[in-house]
């Protein structure tokens, strides 16, 4: 399914840019500047990320529901793990930054926490690419 591959590709590009460019840049901001920028960044990026994440969950769930396979099950499990990492680890760190709590420590921690999502979303994309290429 091409739509699934496009969504997964969008998320893998976004997460690698976030991992290699955005989150590391947070550590170069003076704390006051990061506090001002962070609220704009989180609002703007949420408009992009949340529809993609919801679309990914929906399309993978629908795909598995219509035709069970272990490959699709693994992909959906990886998606659930990205949601867990996002909402139980990354979002609290973003909240700390937004509330001015341990701002620099939270910014540095985002880079470490985000490696899990980077690996997970890369794996999801590779599974989707494999599935797409093997489909006649």
């Amino acid at each position: 399914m091409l739509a699934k591959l496009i969504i997964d590709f969008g998320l893998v590009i976004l997460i690698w840019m976030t991992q290699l460019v955005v989150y590391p840049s947070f550590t170069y901001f003076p704390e006051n500047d990061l506090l001002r920028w962070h609220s704009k960044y989180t609002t703007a990026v949420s408009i992009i990320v949340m529809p993609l994440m919801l679309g990914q969950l929906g399309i993978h769930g629908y795909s598995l529901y219509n035709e069970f396979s272990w490959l699709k099950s693994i992909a959906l499990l990886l998606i659930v793990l990205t949601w867990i990492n996002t909402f139980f680890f990354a979002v609290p760190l973003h909240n700390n930054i937004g509330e001015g709590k341990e701002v620099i420590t939270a910014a540095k921690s985002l880079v470490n926490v985000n490696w899990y999502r980077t690996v997970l979303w890369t794996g999801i994309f590779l599974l989707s690419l494999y599935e797409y290429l093997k489909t006649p």
Side-chain angles (χ1 to χ4, degrees):
M1 175 181 293
L2 184 59
K4 181 166 50 170
L5 185 63
I6 290 170
I7 289 172
D8 292 343
F9 184 68
L11 281 164
V12 82
I13 294 301
L14 185 64
I15 200 67
W16 275 101
M17 287 186 61
T18 301
Q19 183 61 27
L20 298 178
V21 178
V22 177
Y23 285 172
S25 74
F26 286 1
T27 64
Y28 290 93
F29 280 88
E31 190 170 318
N32 288 336
D33 292 341
L34 179 57
L35 289 171
R36 281 197 314 272
W37 166 242
H38 185 264
S39 66
K40 292 176 185 176
Y41 164 78
T42 53
T43 299
V45 81
S46 293
I47 293 168
I48 298 166
V49 173
M50 285 312 301
L52 286 171
M53 286 181 69
L54 289 167
Q56 183 181 54
L57 181 63
I59 204 161
H60 276 268
Y62 178 79
S63 178
L64 179 62
Y65 177 77
N66 278 333
E67 181 186 349
F68 177 85
S69 78
W70 287 107
L71 186 75
K72 292 177 183 184
S73 299
I74 291 167
L76 192 58
L77 173 64
L78 296 179
I79 290 166
V80 169
L81 291 174
T82 62
W83 279 69
I84 290 169
N85 182 279
T86 297
F87 293 104
F88 289 98
F89 297 98
V91 168
L93 290 169
H94 279 290
N95 290 342
N96 283 353
I97 294 170
E99 295 166 8
K101 298 179 187 172
E102 302 178 356
V103 173
I104 301 305
T105 301
K108 289 178 182 176
S109 295
L110 271 173
V111 174
N112 296 327
V113 163
N114 200 56
W115 272 118
Y116 295 102
R117 289 191 299 179
T118 303
V119 169
L120 289 167
W121 265 319
T122 300
I124 294 162
F125 169 70
L126 292 174
L127 289 172
S128 289
L129 180 61
Y130 173 79
E131 180 184 12
Y132 182 76
L133 292 175
K134 78 171 186 86
T135 303

